[in-house]
Amino acid sequence: MTSLPFPVERYREDFPILAQQIHGHPLAYLDTGASAQKPRAVIEAMTRFMENDYANIHRGVHELSQRATDKYEAVRSVVQNFIKAEHDDEIVFTHGATDAINLVAQTWGRTFLKAGDEIVITALEHHANIVPWQMLREAFGIDLRVVPITPEGEVRVEDVKAALSPKTKLVAFAHVSNVLGTVLPAKEIVALAHEAGALALVDGCQSISHMPVDVRDMDADFFVFSGHKLYGPTGIGVLYGKREILSRMPPWQGGGDMIASVTFAETTYKEPPHRFEAGTPPITEVIGLGAAIDYVSAIGMNNIAQHEKDILAYATEKLSRVDGMRIVGQAKNKSGIISFIMEQAHPHDIGTILDRHGVAIRAGHHCAQPLMEHLGLVATARASFGLYTSREDIDALVAAVEKVEEIFG
Ligand code: PMP
């Protein structure tokens, strides 16, 4: 079966921000890994909602509140279908992936872990999937075990196996590395965790917008992601948790909307997911997230994945030819992220020079300082791709990187 070419130019028109010039050059936005730009469909859905249907949810008897509640709750099923969860009550709205991981640490972790229990993570985790577990370590004396990575930046299943023990209670890992682009064998790692009697938490921040995700096939117990990396707004994220696990977790934050009844003597809580959504949630942002999922679903996650694979191959080939260039992260299965360093210049200098040419990349430790230390680096420059990334963007990147070579080489 031959597939039709991906009409990237047509999709780019959906993103108003991309049409501008930066320092006299067309913008080449290659920082989607940090945050994705927003299509008009998302911007307009949020505006339309605020212009027509906005009110606080769950509490009002009036028409607007009921309409807002229905629209907010409808997005739960949109997310459920998008990640192929079994039930819509397995979808908890959070403020982002960081918030979601902290929720698991502070409710599941504080309830079910005791001194000596082990949590297994990998050497390539984002700080969001390290620090919440360290906080538990400080509070309860649990141990944190770290699965090493290969020089190519891969996580080998046998190394995960070696890190597991009867004390392992959770294996928490990134589906895709935000620095190296490595796609981890999530299904196999989850299966190993289960064999060891542990749960598995998958950090889907860097996979959710780049490939189809099926939490049931993966059999993840928890799966988290942020809306802003999925072409949606900031301030909204998702915690997926299996129904039977969420139902045994106590609430984290207390307040309005998460209670069944309150007296000064005693409070009872709602069932999940509302038990975990204390206070007024980011209502408009949930609407925006729903619109973002509708938008990428209409394009097709498989089509997006294929397009980004083509862009990754094109960019890898072109960048590899630049003098002094070293691509950091050579995993066989990679998503649309290229970290690189150059002999001639510090990543921050590269980032600044590229910006002068309209090319937006990220330079730094990418909130993965332990990984940087593991790699013996202080920073990398990182180009990351999205559905709107074109070959012209890559050509602009390569031309600007060649300028770095000319200036510092
Ligand atoms: N995990 C990974 C792999 C990420 O890339 C990020 C964002 N860079 C996060 C977690 C945290 O996401 P947020 O800041 O949106 O909570």
Side-chain angles (χ1 to χ4, degrees):
M1 198 176 86
T2 51
S3 52
L4 292 171
F6 189 82
V8 65
E9 287 309 323
R10 202 177 84 212
Y11 297 136
R12 285 174 72 85
E13 285 170 16
D14 295 337
F15 293 81
I17 204 167
L18 297 180
Q20 65 188 291
Q21 304 257 317
I22 299 283
H23 304 305
H25 299 272
L27 166 64
Y29 184 76
L30 297 171
D31 197 18
T32 297
S35 205
Q37 296 297 351
K38 318 303 170 200
R40 209 173 273 108
V42 168
I43 301 165
E44 286 175 358
M46 292 173 76
T47 304
R48 220 171 26 246
F49 177 74
M50 286 190 285
E51 286 181 350
N52 297 293
D53 307 308
Y54 180 81
N56 209 332
I57 55 166
H58 292 150
R59 297 164 220 190
V61 289
H62 59 81
E63 164 70 19
L64 283 186
S65 179
Q66 284 173 9
R67 230 190 271 162
T69 304
D70 290 347
K71 286 183 184 283
Y72 174 92
E73 287 299 332
V75 176
R76 236 184 264 283
S77 330
V78 172
V79 176
Q80 174 204 349
N81 293 330
F82 187 57
I83 63 171
K84 311 231 172 0
E86 196 170 357
H87 310 287
D88 66 354
D89 56 22
E90 296 178 314
I91 307 300
V92 180
F93 291 127
T94 66
H95 294 286
T98 302
D99 192 38
I101 297 174
N102 277 279
L103 193 162
V104 175
Q106 294 301 321
T107 67
W108 178 84
R110 281 183 175 264
T111 309
F112 296 107
L113 297 179
K114 55 179 188 325
D117 284 346
E118 293 176 357
I119 292 183
V120 170
I121 59 174
T122 81
L124 53 67
E125 299 308 315
H126 186 279
H127 295 163
N129 196 29
I130 302 173
V131 185
W133 312 121
Q134 288 177 327
M135 290 163 78
L136 283 187
R137 181 170 67 186
E138 276 157 35
F140 294 104
I142 61 155
D143 289 325
L144 213 51
R145 301 196 63 175
V146 182
V147 179
I149 56 169
T150 66
E152 292 74 33
E154 293 180 331
V155 173
R156 297 187 319 166
V157 171
E158 48 269 44
D159 290 333
V160 176
K161 213 169 183 169
L164 297 168
S165 86
K167 292 185 192 160
T168 312
K169 292 291 181 301
L170 180 73
V171 180
F173 64 97
H175 195 183
V176 172
S177 160
N178 67 312
V179 179
L180 307 172
T182 312
V183 182
L184 275 69
K187 195 172 170 174
E188 284 149 278
I189 299 175
V190 172
L192 282 178
H194 289 166
E195 271 171 39
L199 298 188
L201 180 148
V202 183
D203 171 1
C205 268
Q206 297 294 342
S207 61
I208 192 71
S209 61
H210 305 289
M211 59 188 71
V213 164
D214 184 331
V215 291
R216 253 189 297 170
D217 180 59
M218 197 187 285
D219 204 19
D221 300 292
F222 299 110
F223 185 93
V224 305
F225 67 89
S226 289
H228 69 94
K229 301 200 198 254
L230 180 56
Y231 309 100
T234 51
I236 176 68
V238 166
L239 165 66
Y240 157 81
K242 282 184 185 160
R243 187 188 253 179
E244 71 275 13
I245 298 171
L246 289 182
S247 69
R248 286 187 283 119
M249 284 163 47
W252 177 21
Q253 298 180 321
D257 237 22
M258 49 76 76
I259 53 90
S261 80
V262 178
T263 68
F264 283 119
E266 193 192 19
T267 292
T268 56
Y269 308 120
K270 280 187 182 154
E271 292 299 312
H274 299 106
R275 180 190 299 173
F276 303 111
E277 296 176 8
T280 299
I283 305 166
T284 309
E285 287 70 18
V286 165
I287 303 306
L289 174 65
I293 292 176
D294 288 345
Y295 177 78
V296 292
S297 301
I299 297 174
M301 289 313 298
N302 277 314
N303 295 333
I304 293 172
Q306 186 54 50
H307 168 68
E308 292 180 7
K309 213 169 161 187
D310 291 346
I311 290 289
L312 176 68
Y314 182 74
T316 304
E317 209 266 314
K318 287 219 144 184
L319 281 176
S320 303
R321 283 200 241 141
V322 176
D323 270 352
M325 164 71 61
R326 189 180 127 208
I327 293 178
V328 181
Q330 306 271 0
K332 272 188 223 81
N333 192 3
K334 259 185 89 163
S335 181
I337 288 174
I338 299 183
S339 261
F340 60 94
I341 50 174
M342 295 177 77
E343 275 163 24
Q344 304 88 332
H346 188 279
H348 285 125
D349 294 329
I350 300 174
T352 307
I353 293 169
L354 265 55
D355 178 57
R356 300 307 300 176
H357 293 84
V359 179
I361 61 150
R362 182 145 295 236
H365 55 63
H366 315 294
C367 297
Q369 283 180 351
L371 172 60
M372 290 293 141
E373 200 187 327
H374 186 90
L375 297 168
L377 300 170
V378 281
T380 69
R382 182 189 73 183
S384 54
F385 315 137
L387 71 91
Y388 40 61
T389 307
S390 64
R391 287 189 172 216
E392 288 73 21
D393 289 335
I394 304 303
D395 293 341
L397 167 69
V398 174
V401 162
E402 278 165 352
K403 286 275 184 311
V404 175
E405 216 277 310
E406 277 169 31
I407 296 168
F408 289 95

